[in-house]
């Protein structure tokens, strides 16, 4: 696999995933993202690097549409318009990211062997935080008990 940076689309497999999205009919793009996430989540054995890279790319596309996110700024992502993704994809994306960074993941193993492994994990953590933000604690209680 060719990888040139830590970004979600900065590798051959994610760039190929972007091409597949561009080639898919507009009404099939969300289904392609969904099936990529589900395939990753359902992998019970060793998760191969290509599937992990595609899942990270899919999660990044969903995160880019969440409040508080920034648009993806890469020339290797999809060129064609993407639909507004259903909100039920967010928890799937979080679960897929968790699978990608867990044990039994080739992509995580490969990154952990490099000096940029911690930066890659930070990137994954930022995407995950956008998808599943932790609510801020309330300063004033809603009810006095």
């Amino acid at each position: 696999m060719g990888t040139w940076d830590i970004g979600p689309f900065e590798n051959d497999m994610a760039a190929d995933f972007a091409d597949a999205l561009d080639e898919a009919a507009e009404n099939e793009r969300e289904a392609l993202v969904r099936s990529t996430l589900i395939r990753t989540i359902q992998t019970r054995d060793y998760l191969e690097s290509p599937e992990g890279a595609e899942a990270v790319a899919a999660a990044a596309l969903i995160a880019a549409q969440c409040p508080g996110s920034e648009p993806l700024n890469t020339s290797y992502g999809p060129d064609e318009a993407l639909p507004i993704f259903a909100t039920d994809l967010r928890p799937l994306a979080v679960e897929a990211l968790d699978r990608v960074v867990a044990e039994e993941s080739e992509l995580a193993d490969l990154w952990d062997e490099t000096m940029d492994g911690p930066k890659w994990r930070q990137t994954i953590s930022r995407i995950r935080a956008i998808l599943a933000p932790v609510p801020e604690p309330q300063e004033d209680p809603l009810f006095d008990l």
Side-chain angles (χ1 to χ4, degrees):
M1 172 178 82
T3 300
W4 50 90
D5 205 350
I6 62 171
F9 282 94
E10 312 304 314
N11 62 75
D12 289 336
M13 294 313 302
D16 289 346
F17 176 69
D19 289 342
L21 284 169
D22 285 340
E23 292 171 6
E26 187 173 348
N27 64 343
E28 295 173 355
R29 292 180 186 143
E30 182 173 313
L32 182 56
V33 168
R34 183 180 301 276
S35 66
T36 298
L37 297 172
I38 290 171
R39 183 178 63 243
T40 301
I41 293 165
Q42 291 179 343
T43 300
R44 296 294 169 220
D45 296 323
Y46 195 71
L47 179 67
E48 299 294 331
S49 179
E51 288 79 13
E54 289 177 357
V56 170
L61 291 173
I62 296 163
Q65 294 182 1
C66 292
S69 71
E70 297 177 9
L72 284 175
N73 193 10
T74 179
S75 58
Y76 302 104
D79 293 323
E80 299 297 322
L82 295 171
I84 302 298
F85 293 120
T87 57
D88 73 323
L89 286 176
R90 293 176 190 174
L92 290 176
V94 168
E95 195 173 345
L97 289 176
D98 289 348
R99 178 65 182 91
V100 168
V101 298
E103 290 185 28
E104 301 295 319
S105 169
E106 182 181 27
L107 189 60
D109 289 345
L110 291 171
W111 276 109
D112 288 345
E113 293 173 359
T114 71
M115 290 178 48
D116 287 330
K119 287 184 195 176
W120 176 79
R121 285 188 178 271
Q122 287 174 343
T123 299
I124 302 301
S125 293
R126 279 194 301 274
I127 296 168
R128 191 186 190 290
I130 290 168
L131 291 163
V134 177
E136 294 184 28
Q138 289 185 313
E139 292 180 24
D140 297 325
L142 292 176
F143 304 100
D144 288 328
L145 297 176

